[in-house]
């Protein structure tokens, strides 16, 4: 059973903003003639590497709510310019929206057991004409 990681997505207000930020990074790197890997660097390296790499995802908390995840492809040691070794979490570019799950603020990242991870939202729910705020309210009322 995979073990996931949960992390705050600081400075991002919406899933669309996160996606747009990634798209801009791709364009910036392409203009420089560089390929772009989605790597999120964090200070601490997970000790349970095998479990995380066995199908784990990074679940992003945006505005106090888990809203989206990305599959973890690799955990890579990265040494910063200060000489300190950190963890580069290599992420699949595809963003998978999840059911909303409120989450209190915390520092760094935490393990998220698979049984506690929110389920993915079906694409048909995302593609509708329902504004995100209304979709959230309908989901809270168990109407969708």
């Amino acid at each position: 059973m995979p073990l996931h990681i949960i992390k705050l997505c600081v400075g991002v207000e919406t899933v669309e903003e996160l996606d747009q930020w990634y798209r801009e990074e791709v364009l910036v790197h392409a203009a420089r003639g560089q390929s772009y890997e989605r790597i999120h660097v964090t200070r601490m390296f997970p000790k349970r590497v095998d479990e995380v790499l066995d199908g784990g995802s990074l679940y992003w908390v945006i505005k106090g709510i888990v809203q989206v995840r990305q599959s973890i492809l690799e955990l890579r040691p990265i040494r910063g310019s200060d000489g300190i070794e950190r963890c580069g979490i290599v992420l699949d570019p595809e963003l998978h929206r999840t059911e909303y799950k409120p989450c209190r603020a915390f520092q760094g990242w935490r393990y998220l057991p698979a049984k506690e991870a929110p389920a993915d939202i079906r694409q048909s729910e995302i593609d509708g004409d329902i504004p995100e705020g209304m979709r959230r309210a309908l989901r809270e009322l168990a109407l969708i």
Side-chain angles (χ1 to χ4, degrees), residues 67-110:
Q67 298 184 39
V68 67
R69 71 173 180 85
Q70 290 179 272
S71 298
I72 297 174
L73 304 176
E74 181 183 349
L75 297 173
R76 185 182 297 166
I78 294 178
R79 188 168 305 279
S81 58
D82 56 5
I84 297 173
E85 191 166 283
R86 295 179 171 82
C87 178
I89 304 173
V90 182
L91 300 167
D92 182 356
E94 188 172 355
L95 296 173
H96 301 273
R97 287 180 182 260
T98 65
E99 293 178 349
Y100 283 17
K101 180 179 180 178
C103 185
R104 290 188 176 168
F106 57 90
Q107 289 187 340
W109 56 264
R110 303 283 183 265

Side-chain angles (χ1 to χ4, degrees), residues 42-63:
T42 187
R43 194 172 65 102
M44 300 301 291
F45 206 97
K47 291 181 176 28
R48 299 168 68 181
V49 173
D50 291 338
E51 293 171 86
V52 171
L53 294 178
D54 186 25
S57 291
L58 178 63
Y59 283 78
W60 289 110
V61 178
I62 299 173
K63 301 290 286 181

Side-chain angles (χ1 to χ4, degrees), residues 14-68:
T14 65
V15 175
E16 292 78 18
E17 188 177 335
L18 177 62
D19 186 48
Q20 183 60 37
W21 184 82
Y22 279 139
R23 291 175 192 273
E24 289 171 6
E25 285 294 304
V26 169
L27 293 175
V28 166
H29 282 76
R32 295 180 190 152
Q34 303 169 335
S35 62
Y36 175 69
E37 275 187 304
R38 291 188 181 179
I39 300 177
H40 181 77
V41 179
T42 187
R43 194 172 65 102
M44 300 301 291
F45 206 97
K47 291 181 176 28
R48 299 168 68 181
V49 173
D50 291 338
E51 293 171 86
V52 171
L53 294 178
D54 186 25
S57 291
L58 178 63
Y59 283 78
W60 289 110
V61 178
I62 299 173
K63 301 290 286 181
I65 301 169
V66 177
Q67 298 184 39
V68 67

